Amino acid sequence: MTTPESSTQAIPETGNVPRHLAIIMDGNGRWAKKRFLPRVAGHRRGVEAVRGVVKACMARGVGALTLFAFSSENWRRPKEEVTFLMQLFLKALEQEVEKLHGNGIRFRVIGDLSAFEPVIVEHIRRAEALTAANDRLVLTVAANYGGRWDILQAANRCREESPGAEITEERLSRHLCLNYATEPDLFIRTGGEERISNFLLWHLAYTELYFTPVLWPDFDEGALDEAIASYRSRERRFGRTSEQLAATLPQPRAG
Ligand code: IPE
Ligand code: IPE
Ligand code: MG
C-alpha cells in the first residue's frame, strides 16, 4: 500500500472541498443540559447529527470523514455514561452498517479496541470487512483513540519491523491508524472549546482548524457549509509565502 503524501514532505493538492474532514463532535452534554435532559439524551441526538453530516459530506464530494466519538480519556467519565456510550455505539453498529454499505461507504474504526467488549469488536470487524471495497466515502470512527497512543503504537511497530533501523516520517506514518487516508484538510470542533483533546496529533500538522460554538446535536448541513466556506477563504501556504503562491496560480489574461 502506498502511503498518502505528507504535508511536511511534499505540498498536497488542495481544492474547494476538503478531501478529508476530521471532526471533534463536542457539546452533547451541554445540549441536553440546556433542555433539562440527562446528558445521555444529548449523545442520542448526537447520533442523528452524524447521520446528517455523513449524508452532507457525500453530497459535497468529501472523500474521507473522521469522527472522534470516544477519546482514550473519556473512560474517566461516570460509569453509567460510559456504559451508555458503549451501548449506543453497539446499537449504531447494528442499525447503521447495512445502510452505510448500501450507500457505498467504507467504514473503519481507529483506536485501541482491546478495551472494548468482544461483541463490539466483532461488529466492528464485520462492518469493516463488509464495506472494505466501497469507495464513495471512507467514514472513520475514532473510538478509544488518542493521538499519543497512535504515535506510540506506530513507533513500536516500526521497531518490531526492523529493530535498530531509523524511524523516518515515511515509515512511521505507514503504521499510524489512518494510513489509508490523506491528512485532514479541515478540522472542525463543535461545542465552543478550542483544543485538540488528544485527537489526531500527527495528522493535523497543516490542517485548517475551525472551531464553532454550535453544539454537536445542532450541527447540520448549514453549519457544515459555513465551515467549508471558512476553509475556502483560507490561504494554505505550507510554509511558502503568499507571493510564491500567487506566482503558481493561473494568471488572468490581459485584454
Ligand atoms: C461529546 O460531547 C461526546 C463525547 C465526548 C462522547 P460531550 O459529552 O463531551 O458534551 P459536553 O462537552 O459535556 O457538552
Ligand atoms: C473530546 O471531547 C472527545 C470527543 C468528542 C470524543 P471531550 O469533551 O472529551 O474533551 P475535553 O475533555 O473537553 O477536552
Ligand atoms: Mg465535551
Side-chain angles (χ1 to χ4, degrees):
M1 181 176 48
T2 56
T3 324
E5 84 249 0
S6 144
S7 58
T8 48
Q9 311 258 300
I11 293 166
E13 273 174 48
T14 56
N16 273 338
V17 175
R19 291 167 306 172
H20 182 178
L21 168 62
I23 308 183
I24 297 188
M25 311 182 288
D26 196 20
N28 293 350
R30 279 163 287 163
W31 182 93
K33 197 172 173 189
K34 265 192 358 194
R35 288 164 178 76
F36 306 100
L37 294 168
R39 290 179 56 81
V40 295
H43 296 317
R44 217 180 273 126
R45 283 299 290 264
V47 177
E48 285 173 40
V50 169
R51 266 188 222 115
V53 167
V54 170
K55 212 169 133 200
C57 282
M58 279 207 293
R60 282 154 188 74
V62 172
L65 173 65
T66 301
L67 302 173
F68 204 8
F70 193 87
S71 75
S72 44
E73 289 70 54
N74 284 145
W75 299 105
R76 297 169 179 164
R77 294 197 174 192
K79 196 169 170 285
E80 309 75 57
E81 182 169 341
V82 170
T83 306
F84 182 89
L85 285 168
M86 292 302 144
Q87 281 166 356
L88 195 64
F89 189 26
L90 182 58
K91 205 166 119 196
L93 284 165
E94 285 167 351
Q95 294 179 351
E96 307 292 332
V97 169
E98 287 295 335
K99 277 183 260 173
L100 295 176
H101 185 47
N103 283 311
I105 296 172
R106 181 171 157 212
F107 178 74
R108 297 292 298 258
V109 175
I110 56 168
D112 181 3
L113 297 188
S114 66
F116 290 114
E117 281 190 30
V119 57
I120 295 185
V121 180
E122 211 175 284
H123 271 83
I124 292 170
R125 294 300 177 225
R126 221 183 296 149
E128 288 180 332
L130 175 73
T131 63
N134 295 342
D135 61 5
R136 256 194 93 187
L137 171 86
V138 52
L139 170 65
T140 302
V141 170
N144 193 22
Y145 179 86
R148 291 187 179 180
W149 166 83
D150 194 3
I151 294 168
L152 286 173
Q153 67 80 27
N156 283 320
R157 287 216 261 157
C158 285
R159 201 178 47 188
E160 281 161 26
E161 186 181 69
S162 37
E166 190 192 351
I167 298 180
T168 60
E169 195 183 295
E170 203 276 326
R171 280 188 66 212
L172 189 97
S173 52
R174 253 193 290 130
H175 290 295
L176 290 168
C177 291
L178 274 176
N179 59 6
Y180 49 88
T182 57
E183 292 174 25
D185 295 303
L186 175 63
F187 159 98
I188 299 174
R189 182 175 185 141
T190 64
E193 310 296 351
E194 301 190 352
R195 52 177 173 254
I196 303 295
S197 299
N198 198 15
F199 192 28
L200 301 167
L201 299 182
W202 177 277
H203 313 75
L204 296 177
Y206 271 103
T207 303
E208 295 300 326
L209 307 180
Y210 179 85
F211 299 94
T212 169
V214 174
L215 303 172
W216 177 250
D218 293 327
F219 191 83
D220 58 11
E221 242 179 293
L224 176 68
D225 284 334
E226 275 179 43
I228 295 179
S230 166
Y231 169 76
R232 279 194 185 136
S233 73
R234 315 230 182 143
E235 183 177 66
R236 302 190 73 192
R237 290 192 288 276
F238 300 101
R240 295 164 299 173
T241 66
S242 256
E243 291 71 20
Q244 283 176 299
L245 282 175
T248 60
L249 292 173
Q251 299 298 311
R253 268 186 293 170

